[in-house]
Amino acid sequence: MAFEKVKEIIKEAPAFAQLTDLAAERLGGQVLYSTDDFFAEKENLIKPTRGIFIADKYTDRGKWMDGWESRRKRTPGHDWAIVKLATSGKIKGFDIDTNFFLGNHPPHASVEAVYLQDDSHITDWETVEWKEILTKSHLDPGSQNFYECQDDAIYTHLRLHIYPDGGVARFRVYGEVFKNWNEVSENQVIDLAAAINGGQAIACNDMFFSEMGNLIMPNRGANMGDGWETKRNRTPNNRDWVILRLAHRGTPERIVVDTCHFKGNYPDSCSIEACVTTDEQIESADWKTLLPPQKLSADHEHEYTSEIQTLGPITHIRLNIFPDGGVSRLRIFGKINK
């Protein structure tokens, strides 16, 4: 296959693509069912990164593809897949990515949604009372297909329809985590920054090598690409930074700065500032020191308790690294303030 036909097509992402991917496998999303995944497994839909292409890779069923691909349908109907979100949330938009699916992409897709507290009793997904939240929409081949969601309800499960068959590389469901904070005690210690709780990376000065949102993903980083890494900066006394909105206003008690996998490129040191503000007023925020400058080491979890300054409840934090480099995860453990 000629290179011109398999190159990635990257579109400019809309603002909603900066939100949390509620369906992401690494956050806890699952693909529960599909009508057909003969050529490529349904689970690929929620893998990290865009799908890849390996020219000479085949399976006993045909060409290996990094996505979900059904057979050519020879009977009436179309194919669909059930995705369970990692957490309930309000959906703001989709990316139905047909990366490298060119002569085999579905021409159209639609999305339905439902809120289910428990799905263990469901044996027939067609009996569920689905609500359409994306009407039947055109898909370009080998491309990110972004669509905004106008529905403001809270959902837990989605059904992605493709018409009539074919391949989708990735399915991103961007939105806002919904967490019932009435069920969280003020004495309970949680990770206030975690994406699964509703934390959000909202700004940084540099993420040349990897995304700022990786900092608040579950578990330790899988590899060096699964963190926040800035480019090498030659400016004397440089400081790189990232701002996180906490999932809930709260008081930090323990901080973990993890440089997992960063060995020759970890920051020399870091500090953390905090404030009480809104996203819209972040530029005029009154930042105060939460964690004074601390030396860092390679591939290590750095834990801080006594070093944390007493500021009371906060809403946002700013991680500063000196002069540049990579941090895998940042944990801000504390109690919420209601």
Side-chain angles (χ1 to χ4, degrees):
M1 188 176 293
F3 172 76
E4 298 80 46
K5 294 183 179 179
V6 298
K7 64 183 179 181
E8 282 189 299
I9 300 173
I10 302 175
K11 295 182 179 178
E12 183 176 352
F16 65 69
Q18 298 301 314
L19 299 174
T20 300
D21 178 5
L22 302 174
E25 178 189 60
R26 62 180 181 159
L27 196 62
Q30 302 174 60
V31 184
L32 301 180
Y33 176 83
S34 72
T35 52
D36 186 328
D37 60 353
F38 184 87
F39 285 117
E41 295 78 11
K42 62 187 184 298
E43 288 81 8
N44 291 331
L45 278 172
I46 57 175
K47 297 286 185 184
T49 73
R50 298 190 72 195
I52 63 171
F53 185 83
I54 302 176
D56 298 322
K57 185 172 182 178
Y58 288 84
T59 73
D60 61 358
R61 294 193 172 192
K63 179 71 184 73
W64 179 90
M65 294 296 288
D66 187 11
W68 166 49
E69 185 181 3
S70 64
R71 282 172 280 212
R72 303 187 189 211
K73 189 164 287 295
R74 305 309 191 197
T75 58
H78 65 278
D79 290 315
W80 46 270
I82 303 295
V83 176
K84 181 177 183 179
L85 303 180
T87 174
S88 57
K90 293 183 179 181
I91 299 165
K92 299 301 181 181
F94 308 99
D95 176 11
I96 306 173
D97 190 354
T98 57
N99 203 29
F100 297 117
F101 286 95
L102 300 173
N104 52 352
H105 82 290
H108 299 89
S110 67
V111 179
E112 294 176 308
V114 68
Y115 180 86
L116 297 172
Q117 287 188 320
D118 179 19
D119 61 20
S120 61
H121 64 286
I122 297 174
T123 56
D124 183 356
W125 285 100
E126 293 195 270
T127 65
V128 172
E129 294 185 14
W130 296 100
K131 179 182 179 182
E132 187 174 70
I133 59 173
L134 178 67
T135 60
K136 190 174 181 179
S137 302
H138 171 78
L139 298 182
D140 288 326
S143 180
Q144 292 175 285
N145 296 272
F146 293 107
Y147 285 101
E148 189 172 353
C149 179
Q150 302 293 341
D151 194 292
D152 202 38
I154 297 167
Y155 295 110
T156 57
H157 295 68
L158 301 184
R159 179 158 69 161
L160 171 65
H161 297 265
I162 58 173
Y163 303 92
D165 53 44
V168 174
R170 298 290 187 267
F171 181 44
R172 307 297 186 206
V173 183
Y174 295 108
E176 299 171 353
V177 170
F178 173 78
K179 189 176 181 70
N180 187 350
W181 292 104
N182 292 326
E183 297 179 352
V184 179
S185 165
E186 290 189 83
N187 295 319
Q188 182 179 344
V189 175
I190 67 167
D191 184 353
L192 297 168
I196 195 67
N197 289 327
Q200 182 73 48
I202 62 171
C204 68
N205 74 311
D206 186 302
M207 51 179 176
F208 186 88
F209 289 110
S210 49
E211 299 289 326
M212 60 183 177
N214 291 334
L215 281 172
I216 54 177
M217 287 293 116
N219 309 313
R220 299 192 75 190
N223 50 50
M224 200 174 70
D226 186 16
W228 170 56
E229 185 182 2
T230 66
K231 61 180 173 289
R232 301 189 189 208
N233 194 299
R234 312 306 187 184
T235 306
N237 303 314
N238 181 67
R239 171 191 68 125
D240 287 333
W241 54 267
V242 60
I243 295 175
L244 307 180
R245 180 195 344 112
L246 301 184
H248 194 286
R249 180 185 175 113
T251 304
E253 297 182 353
R254 181 167 65 94
I255 295 174
V256 176
V257 180
D258 188 358
T259 57
C260 185
H261 300 296
F262 290 100
K263 299 176 180 179
N265 51 351
Y266 66 95
D268 175 74
S269 60
C270 75
S271 69
I272 298 177
E273 298 166 287
C275 66
V276 177
T277 189
T278 64
D279 289 0
E280 294 73 24
Q281 297 176 315
I282 199 71
E283 291 187 7
S284 59
D286 180 20
W287 293 100
K288 297 180 180 178
T289 299
L290 178 66
L291 179 70
Q294 306 290 325
K295 290 286 286 186
L296 298 177
S297 56
D299 193 28
H300 182 72
E301 282 187 290
H302 307 77
E303 185 169 323
Y304 307 104
T305 52
S306 62
E307 298 89 345
I308 298 172
Q309 304 296 296
T310 303
L311 299 181
I314 60 173
T315 60
H316 292 68
I317 65 101
R318 180 164 63 190
L319 169 66
N320 303 301
I321 58 173
F322 307 93
D324 52 39
V327 176
S328 179
R329 296 290 189 268
L330 176 63
R331 309 298 187 201
I332 309 291
F333 293 102
K335 298 172 183 175
I336 66 171
N337 179 263
K338 294 184 178 181

